[in-house]
Amino acid sequence: MFQSFDVTSRPDQAAPRVTALRQEMSEAGLDAFLVPRADAHQGEYVAPCDERLAWLTGFTGSAGFAVVLKGRAAVFTDGRYTVQVRAQCDPKIFDYVDWPGTSLGGWLLGETAEKIGFDPWLHTIREVEGLRQMIAGGGKELISTGNLVNKIWTDRPARPSEPVATQPFDLTGKTSEEKFAEIGDAVAAQGAEAVVLTLPDSLSWLLNIRGSDIAHNPVVQAFGILTVTGRLMLFDDATKYAHLGPDPRISVLPRAAFGAALEELTGRVLVDPGSAPFAVKTMLKHAEIIEGTDPCILPKACKTPEEIAGSREAHLRDGAAMVEFLSWLSEQMPEDLTEIEVVKQLESFRAATGKLKDISFDTICGSGPNGAIVHYRVTDDTNRALKEGELLLIDSGAQYQDGTTDITRTVALGDPSAEERAAFTAVLQGMIAISTARFPRGVAGGHLDALARAPLWRMGRDFDHGTGHGVGAYLSVHEGPQRISRLSMLPLEEGMILSNEPGYYREGAYGIRIENLIVVQEAPELTGADPRDMLSFETLTWVPIDRSLILADELAPWEQDWVNAYHEEVWDKLKDRVSEHAKTWLRQAVAPV
């Protein structure tokens, strides 16, 4: 199994750990200390050795942070984790703060703490400078210090050190040499002579390598300094690269040497303030810093034809595995299964393809009220038996060498209620609206987000997560900068892969989400259209949608046509890829609504 169901932290562990941290704060002369979810690479997912927030608080979500003061502590996280954070954190120790509705700076201004400590490797330049500006004049001082959690975490795991693997040209469509030249030109265009790279997926993409430093994300955690002349200093454990042989372009140096290299760097250096640790800025003592976006991010997001072709094949393989799973699930008595058993069966069907490298994230398998926990992760403690008449939300994905998948299907375990069918149909309408969107070049994800929410808004409802995130090509399942979210004003471009996943969650009752992956393409010609440069989406995910949850009469004729055409294409693409037994189920599952 790629997924563990162990309970990695418990609420009752927090009290002695917070007490120990406060002792360290006192010795350091601090009134408060910030504990972010982030590591030095600012990725969404972190290695076990960097799980400081979970270790201290018990909260295992992928976004949030804690602030520990002398007499109070709080965990800040967004609407995706409202239920989870209250279940995982001891309310006697931690207050819950809705973030970003409440800003850290505003919250600190209301507290008496004056000297606020932070680890400069775990906060970005933009984050630190923004916070300093917010609390300026409030009698507060941000103080850069060593990591105090590290001092009390006596059994902290070691840093990952597994060997890297190369990603072949037929799946990347660009050689590493071509990428070096492309990024070098982009750096030079911004007036810099070198760039500091700290994002794992940027370096993995640039070097056409994949690693296993982060669970379920095939990236390498390293730091890099790339010059416009095509030389790269890579700071990591050299043993991970020894089997690749020497490369005259690349010098692999110890991770600990990164700080000294920054201090010795001269000239004009490009740094991304949104991803580089604040420590990078303080160590560039002799260089002229040019702030700009990591130049690997946008080229990485715009997939090559080879990457898109690989993703199509990965999704067909994954779709067949999902059909085998859903066929199996349809024959089970709900009461005979638990959430963990469902997760194990789904992984086994993917493993049976012979191509599974890993899952792309811990499967979210929430039955009944657990489905309302947006990023629910089943553990031995929370594992719940399925029940007839409930909904089962399954959000899962796989890492294959030719592509990364991410799919959500909500399944009725028996006869759904009218309320559940109405909510499901509204969510489906939102997903169809994004799937069929046709939009001018220059339109951003923030412009499209409302299309997915409008059917729910008409019911006085909404969901507290973005409609879509970017997805990598055998890289991180959550990839920027592309998003379908009201927060994103980045224009969408051809080759960007995104999720399309509206949902609805009734706390304590059920959760609904439907998710396909889509890729931005040049819009097909349309008779009678203006001569405008338009884009649209190609669907990548091909798995049936539970027809028992659809109120067909609530769908417009064109929406019914979309569902039926989608299901017919699912049949055409998968009928020869599944077992005869699953094929019988599939034929029924794709019948017209």
Side-chain angles (χ1 to χ4, degrees):
M1 286 292 296
F2 286 113
Q3 183 161 341
S4 165
F5 306 101
D6 296 338
V7 179
T8 56
S9 59
R10 298 183 182 278
D12 59 5
Q13 295 174 322
R17 292 173 181 179
V18 169
T19 298
L21 179 59
R22 285 181 172 137
Q23 179 61 38
E24 294 293 337
M25 288 164 46
S26 177
E27 293 178 7
L30 299 173
D31 302 312
F33 188 71
L34 308 183
V35 183
R37 157 73 174 175
D39 60 16
H41 302 277
Q42 296 301 316
E44 178 180 357
Y45 303 100
V46 299
C49 62
D50 292 317
E51 289 273 13
R52 298 176 185 85
L53 181 64
W55 181 85
L56 181 71
T57 68
F59 173 64
T60 60
S62 63
F65 57 90
V67 185
V68 177
L69 296 85
K70 290 180 178 179
R72 183 185 181 192
V75 177
F76 291 65
T77 192
D78 60 40
R80 294 172 296 171
Y81 297 107
T82 302
V83 178
Q84 180 177 338
V85 71
R86 289 172 175 155
Q88 291 185 319
C89 297
D90 184 347
K92 297 177 182 178
I93 305 297
F94 296 101
D95 296 326
Y96 165 69
V97 181
D98 178 26
W99 168 80
T102 298
S103 69
L104 173 59
W107 188 86
L108 286 172
L109 286 173
E111 299 296 323
T112 57
E114 296 180 357
K115 296 184 181 298
I116 303 155
F118 72 99
D119 182 342
W121 285 103
L122 304 186
H123 301 265
T124 68
I125 297 168
R126 182 171 295 152
E127 183 185 352
V128 172
E129 293 182 343
L131 182 57
R132 278 183 170 159
Q133 185 175 3
M134 286 191 71
I135 63 176
K140 314 289 183 183
E141 181 183 5
L142 279 182
I143 299 174
S144 176
T145 183
N147 197 289
L148 303 187
V149 175
N150 290 359
K151 290 187 174 184
I152 62 173
W153 190 358
T154 55
D155 57 349
R156 185 175 166 222
R159 181 162 294 283
S161 59
E162 293 298 313
V164 305
T166 56
Q167 186 73 343
F169 174 76
D170 63 341
L171 293 177
T172 65
K174 285 183 184 178
T175 66
S176 181
E177 289 81 4
E178 289 174 314
K179 293 178 179 180
F180 269 49
E182 179 182 4
I183 300 307
D185 289 346
V187 172
Q190 296 194 55
E193 301 161 86
V195 59
V196 176
L197 300 172
T198 60
L199 293 175
D201 52 344
S202 289
L203 283 162
S204 300
W205 172 86
L206 178 67
L207 293 167
N208 282 343
I209 58 175
R210 300 295 186 265
S212 56
D213 290 351
I214 300 293
H216 315 323
N217 291 264
V219 297
V220 174
Q221 282 198 315
F223 300 111
I225 300 173
L226 177 69
T227 69
V228 294
T229 59
R231 296 284 183 173
L232 175 69
M233 285 191 290
L234 188 68
F235 300 89
D236 198 5
D237 181 352
T239 61
K240 292 160 61 174
Y241 307 84
H243 62 291
L244 300 182
D247 187 329
R249 303 169 304 152
I250 303 170
S251 302
V252 182
L253 304 169
R255 185 180 177 90
F258 182 48
L262 291 173
E263 292 180 350
E264 294 172 3
L265 210 55
T266 59
R268 297 182 298 278
V269 179
L270 179 65
V271 177
D272 186 342
S275 61
F278 184 74
V280 168
K281 183 171 184 177
T282 62
M283 290 178 173
L284 286 171
K285 302 178 184 297
H286 306 295
E288 177 187 347
I289 297 175
I290 297 176
E291 293 193 351
T293 302
D294 178 333
C296 297
I297 289 179
L298 191 56
K300 173 171 57 66
C302 298
K303 310 298 185 291
T304 65
E306 291 81 2
E307 288 173 322
I308 295 172
S311 186
R312 291 190 187 108
E313 177 59 29
H315 278 83
L316 292 175
R317 182 186 309 118
D318 201 60
M322 283 292 301
V323 167
E324 298 284 356
F325 163 73
L326 291 170
S327 172
W328 167 84
L329 182 65
S330 71
E331 298 175 337
Q332 310 305 309
M333 295 296 293
E335 289 80 4
D336 294 337
L337 295 174
T338 66
E339 293 167 335
I340 287 179
E341 289 168 333
V342 171
V343 172
K344 287 181 176 179
Q345 284 292 333
L346 176 52
E347 187 173 315
S348 73
F349 283 115
R350 285 190 164 117
T353 66
K355 299 286 188 179
L356 183 67
K357 295 288 189 180
D358 199 343
I359 55 176
S360 55
F361 54 95
D362 282 338
T363 297
I364 298 167
C365 180
S367 64
N370 285 347
I373 304 172
V374 177
H375 280 192
Y376 171 68
R377 173 185 171 270
V378 58
T379 68
D380 291 322
D381 279 3
T382 66
N383 189 28
R384 185 176 183 274
L386 275 54
K387 292 183 180 179
E388 182 82 19
E390 292 185 336
L391 298 185
L392 177 66
L393 187 156
I394 309 163
D395 186 351
S396 67
Q399 293 284 9
Y400 305 104
Q401 190 171 18
D402 49 4
T404 301
T405 71
D406 184 0
I407 173 176
T408 307
R409 289 295 182 264
T410 304
V411 179
L413 303 175
D415 295 327
S417 67
E419 150 69 19
E420 290 166 338
R421 295 182 75 197
F424 184 92
T425 302
V427 171
L428 175 61
Q429 288 174 308
M431 198 267 276
I432 294 171
I434 295 295
S435 301
T436 58
R438 185 183 179 98
F439 49 95
R441 188 179 298 277
V443 163
H447 300 128
L448 300 178
D449 183 72
L451 297 178
R453 300 177 188 272
L456 285 166
W457 286 349
R458 286 194 291 270
M459 302 169 74
R461 301 176 179 181
D462 203 354
F463 52 94
D464 293 325
H465 57 77
T467 297
H469 56 81
V471 178
Y474 187 39
L475 276 173
S476 301
V477 72
H478 288 176
E479 175 184 84
Q482 70 273 31
R483 288 191 294 172
I484 301 176
S485 161
R486 68 188 70 177
L487 300 176
S488 178
M489 288 296 107
L490 178 87
L492 299 179
E493 298 184 30
E494 290 102 321
M496 290 179 169
I497 296 177
L498 302 111
S499 66
N500 172 13
E501 51 177 313
Y504 180 67
Y505 312 91
R506 180 62 60 86
E507 185 174 346
Y510 64 84
I512 293 167
R513 187 158 63 249
I514 313 171
E515 176 187 19
N516 284 348
L517 295 195
I518 52 181
V519 60
V520 182
Q521 63 178 1
E522 185 178 350
E525 291 187 8
L526 194 64
T527 302
D530 293 342
R532 296 180 183 273
D533 188 6
M534 305 281 280
L535 300 173
S536 63
F537 295 116
E538 172 193 343
T539 294
L540 295 172
T541 306
W542 301 103
V543 175
I545 297 164
D546 191 341
R547 291 163 42 256
S548 73
L549 282 162
I550 301 174
L551 293 174
D553 291 344
E554 293 297 317
L555 298 180
W558 68 272
E559 292 172 324
Q560 291 187 29
D561 290 344
W562 183 92
V563 173
N564 291 334
Y566 176 76
H567 275 160
E568 194 57 36
E569 196 157 0
V570 169
W571 170 255
D572 289 341
K573 290 180 181 294
L574 299 185
K575 65 179 187 293
D576 296 328
R577 289 175 173 260
V578 298
S579 66
E580 286 300 317
H581 191 75
K583 188 174 181 177
T584 300
W585 175 86
L586 178 61
R587 182 70 275 185
Q588 296 173 336
V590 298
V593 295

